[in-house]
Amino acid sequence: MVKVVAEGRDGVLSRAVAILRALAAAGPEGLRLSDIADAAGLPKPTALRFLRNLQGEGLVEDGPSGRSYRLGLDLFCLAARAGNPSNLRDLGRPAMLRVAAAFEDTVFLLVRSGYDAVLIDRSEGVLPVRSLTGDIGGKVPLGLGQGSTAILASLPAGEQEEVVRHNLSLIRERGGLDEAALRAALLDTARKGYCDVANGLIPGSSGLAVPIRDRTGQVVAALSIGTTLERLTPERRAAMAEMLQREAAAIGDASNPFDPALRRPGASLQGSG
């Protein structure tokens, strides 16, 4: 592992920054104490002391395994204020209004939250459309519905497999696709770049969704249209896919990877009407 602090650099701040840089390079899974100490060029007891202080300030938190450390939400909040001040919901709203106006169908914005997709905004079309997520703040397992399937299909293979194994029973309990059909849908979505699988969960309804990637290339959200089977003609399908992909790319390019809503979707719902 490459050390992120050169020998001879002293000072409390330099050591703390070295730890933060090591954790930033590690990603969401974080690092174990021994790896952090090695990367920062510190003895393990010293690294542990710094980690505990950084945890106390909210800049570091326990990793998902409980035996590792990763960057904390407060650090992301600080970075968000220093970068693009708009969160994903703010960025997505104009795009949703444009898509809803173009097709007169309901548009949804969902973000990933662990094994789920959470609805953080919607723009109503002319016809009322039911949603698997219900109201804003509702969630579905990844793989249930077009939006969450678009996210799942865009994840790295190993991560996708973990989610499928975790969510499969939940999807079946809610009347979703069986394993063979789900895997076929994921392959189809990855090939086309959008999901238009009609799962029949809401009679007469259909939809189309595309993934949204942040500026680091990580899939974090989906932009989705809810419509009826009759309205999803081949011509409209092609036009919807093209516009959604264009709008999703623009949202992703403007997004802030440090947006707290991408780590904790509920943060984007505070103060929403």
Side-chain angles (χ1 to χ4, degrees):
M1 182 180 296
V2 177
K3 292 185 178 181
V4 296
V5 58
E7 296 294 337
R9 289 184 63 188
D10 298 321
V12 172
L13 180 59
S14 294
R15 295 177 183 182
V17 170
I19 289 175
L20 294 175
R21 285 176 174 163
L23 293 176
E29 294 301 314
L31 288 175
R32 292 175 178 268
L33 173 61
S34 57
D35 294 325
I36 295 169
D38 181 63
L42 297 171
K44 286 175 62 175
T46 302
L48 180 59
R49 185 174 70 253
F50 273 91
L51 284 166
R52 287 174 175 168
N53 288 333
L54 290 168
Q55 280 184 304
E57 296 296 332
L59 304 182
V60 170
E61 64 185 23
D62 289 335
S65 69
R67 297 186 298 275
S68 62
Y69 300 88
R70 65 183 182 185
L71 297 180
L73 184 63
D74 283 0
L75 185 62
F76 283 78
C77 292
L78 291 172
R81 295 189 184 99
N84 187 337
S86 297
N87 61 34
L88 189 69
R89 193 165 185 252
D90 294 334
L91 293 171
R93 169 52 50 165
M96 296 173 68
L97 293 174
R98 286 191 292 268
V99 174
F103 298 103
E104 299 185 330
D105 287 305
T106 301
V107 184
F108 306 94
L109 179 62
L110 303 99
V111 299
R112 183 188 177 188
S113 178
Y115 295 102
D116 300 317
V118 180
L119 179 66
I120 64 170
D121 204 2
R122 63 187 289 163
S123 180
E124 299 292 342
V126 174
L127 298 176
V129 175
R130 292 170 57 196
S131 168
L132 295 174
T133 51
D135 293 331
I136 293 176
K139 65 181 181 179
V140 293
L142 290 175
L144 189 70
Q146 290 88 9
S148 72
T149 300
I151 295 173
L152 180 57
S154 305
L155 296 178
E159 192 173 357
Q160 182 185 115
E161 182 64 24
E162 178 186 351
V163 173
V164 169
R165 288 299 178 192
H166 183 276
N167 283 359
L168 195 57
S169 62
L170 299 174
I171 293 171
R172 295 301 299 132
E173 286 173 7
R174 297 185 58 170
L177 302 175
D178 60 26
E179 182 173 0
L182 175 60
R183 292 188 182 279
L186 294 174
L187 289 173
D188 182 66
T189 299
R191 177 180 61 83
K192 295 189 298 189
Y194 63 86
C195 179
D196 61 348
V197 175
N199 48 39
L201 290 172
I202 301 177
S205 295
S206 188
L208 191 148
V210 301
I212 298 175
R213 298 179 183 272
D214 67 15
R215 283 185 284 173
T216 70
Q218 181 179 0
V219 174
V220 295
L223 195 60
S224 174
I225 289 180
T227 186
T228 63
L229 288 170
E230 292 77 12
R231 288 170 63 81
L232 196 61
T233 63
E235 294 77 15
R236 282 173 62 84
R237 186 191 310 268
M240 286 177 175
E242 191 278 332
M243 186 171 187
L244 283 177
Q245 288 172 331
R246 184 174 67 249
E247 295 287 3
I251 293 171
D253 288 343
S255 69
N256 188 338
F258 299 109
D259 180 358
L262 301 183
R263 289 167 60 86
R264 296 182 185 173
S268 68
L269 304 179
Q270 295 177 0
S272 64

